Amino acid sequence: MATNVLRNRPLWLKLLAAFVLLLAALAALLAFFPWDTLREPINRYVSEKTGRKFEITRRLDVGIGLRGATVKADGIEFANPPWARDPYLVKAERAEFDIRLWPLITQKVVIPRLALSSPTLGLQVEPDGRRTWALGKDTSDPGTVPVIGLMQVDGGAVDFLAKHLGVDLHADVSYDTSRGRLPLSFRIKGRYKGQPLSAEGRTGNVLQLRAAGQPPFPLEVDGAAGHTRLKASGTVTDLADLDGIQARFDLKGQTLGALFPLLGIALPETSPYALSGDLRKSGKLWEVAGLKGRLGLSDIAGDMRFDKAGQVPHLAGELRSKVMDMDDLGPLIGLPPTERSAKAVEGVAPPPTIKQVKRAAGAKVLPTATLDFDRLRAMNADVKYAAERIRNVRDVPLDHGSVQIKLNNGVLALDPLDLGVGGGKLAGAIRIDATQNPADIRASLDLRNMQLNRLVPKIETMRSSFSRLDGRINLSGRGNSVASWLGGASGDVVALTGRGRFSNLLLEFMGLDGAEIIKFLLRGDQNVELRCAAMAFDVDKGVMTSRSMVLDTADTVFYATGQANLATEKLDFVVRPEPKDASILSLRSPLVIGGSFGAPTGGVQAGPLAERGLAALVLGALNPLLALAATIETGPGQDADCKGVLAEAQKPSAGAAAVGAAKAKGAKKP
């Protein structure tokens, strides 16, 4: 009866029943299959396919599912290629991993989960692309690299070597459930980017190397590379690409410039720093929000973004300081930080300071350190910076400042550059083309409405009241340091002022007027009317030649001529006073200013002074009272043509000075 029923059923139902029975039989076979009998054949097969020894040393078991399989191996040894330093890619007491079956058809290895017990890993990468973890015989083929999702370990060690990248690291890992949500701890020693590195930290027991859609795992790290120290705490979703980072960090170091070899971010040389903020990474975009801290004696705050998605990485952001200390600007132009600045950040070993680096006799004042323009080609940038107050400016009365820094294909532009100086403004642009060697550097700066009594605060204590100063600097040239650029620059430098008042004491000492000095000592300082003043230079290949140097007062007109050599830093000026008043006890002779920038010298011109001294000596021999006749000044000086003086100072001479000034003006935005 039953037989008849089965015979009467449709054919498709018979086939389905047979297929189900076959699957059941296959499942039973797989469940009870003695997988360990395949251990030796698998060892031989993997060894032959990869070209290196693979061995499951004790026991093998496999669980088969519809989409994948779970492989359990007691004792596993997988050798590295013969060119590797470490003998084993992996050696572990036990290994368990899930593997996708269908990708194997296209020879792609996908391992969603890998668990290792007491492993030692030997990872190495070579300049030609060879990697020890590539599974095929061609270890430079990226298609042979397995895709690993979650990785679990309960202790062990990892070595990673990449000599061409300056990386040689050893990590020890331990696992302890009593540590709560961060049971896995690690310690790292070695070198990174050529610098000594040490780090320690904790994570969850599951490392998400590539685990899309999985919750992030926690991570804490405290490490140091050279003089740079990092503390961070947060979460990561993709360890292989360092993606999905959400972390709070504290960063300290001697100079931000040291981050370039570590992170590839071309930051300038700075004083020691301590910064903190919130770090996020999504894909190729790194973001720092709420950045705050110190750069030497200055505070710093803002937000930054570093995008590596394009062919050239791009840095952008806005930074600000409530107080910026001038001592912190030295490293930007090749000077070491001052002792104050070098010791301003607790926990950072101070770099060499100005006091520790003694200037040799005859050494230059202008910074000669070669600026690292090569790193300007490593990225592009657009960063704005503003300082509400500038302090410790010594004799330069800077009040506040702001600048927009743009870096595009190796060309750096500080434009606009805006500084508050002595109640006025210094504004303009500086452009550095680092695609050329030496770099093409152009500076175009205009000074407007600066109060002269703030420029010379010592004279302000003499109750002086100066007029306002205008000026400009237009210089262009080539160089790889501040000194080499100025030593070959061309253009013009101008400073102009109109009517005002200031102390006559300076004038009388400059003119060596004994009677006026005596009057000052008896009656006190007196203010003198300033009619006009101009100081203009033509600059030709580093030589500043006076074009117009006039100081006209109600008492005296001073005319000056000479040169300042920016290459040799030598001074050679003669100042000729032409008094407008009659006076006795006057030994007015031309003043000679010489020496160098670092050691200037000054004095009267010997010839005219000697003539008056000899006359006084002869007359004094006849009658002491007649000696005074040789020191009487009849005052032949005349008022200067102030309008003509200021007009002449405004125009650079033809030739290299005019060409250099025109090039410098090209640094500004059109």
Side-chain angles (χ1 to χ4, degrees), residues 11 68 81 109 144 216 228 321 325 342 349 359 387 418 431 449 457 536 540 566 641:
L11 178 61
V109 180
T144 64
T228 302
S321 297
D325 195 289
R359 182 182 296 158
D418 192 337
R431 180 180 181 273
N449 297 322
D540 185 354
L566 298 174
D641 177 9

Side-chain angles (χ1 to χ4, degrees), residues 561-626:
T561 58
Q563 293 181 337
N565 193 313
L566 298 174
T568 62
E569 298 192 356
K570 297 298 183 183
L571 299 170
D572 183 12
F573 289 96
V574 176
V575 182
R576 294 179 174 83
E578 295 186 4
K580 301 177 182 180
D581 59 346
S583 175
I584 63 172
L585 300 181
S586 177
L587 296 176
R588 285 175 175 159
S589 294
L591 302 174
V592 177
I593 301 174
S596 66
F597 293 179
T601 60
V604 296
Q605 202 170 61
L609 183 60
E611 292 174 2
R612 290 200 176 202
L614 180 60
L617 180 63
V618 172
L619 294 174
L622 299 176
N623 187 327
L625 294 177
L626 294 178

Side-chain angles (χ1 to χ4, degrees), residues 185-207:
S185 66
F186 59 87
R187 291 180 179 272
I188 301 174
K189 288 284 187 181
R191 300 187 70 82
Y192 181 74
K193 300 295 185 179
Q195 298 187 40
L197 180 141
S198 62
E200 61 181 37
R202 301 186 303 161
T203 77
N205 67 319
V206 177
L207 302 182

Side-chain angles (χ1 to χ4, degrees), residues 9 33 38 93 117 175-176 336 356 375 449:
R9 287 184 177 180
F33 186 82
L38 299 180
E93 288 295 316
S117 177
Y175 182 80
D176 187 345
Q356 293 170 332
R375 65 178 59 186
N449 297 322

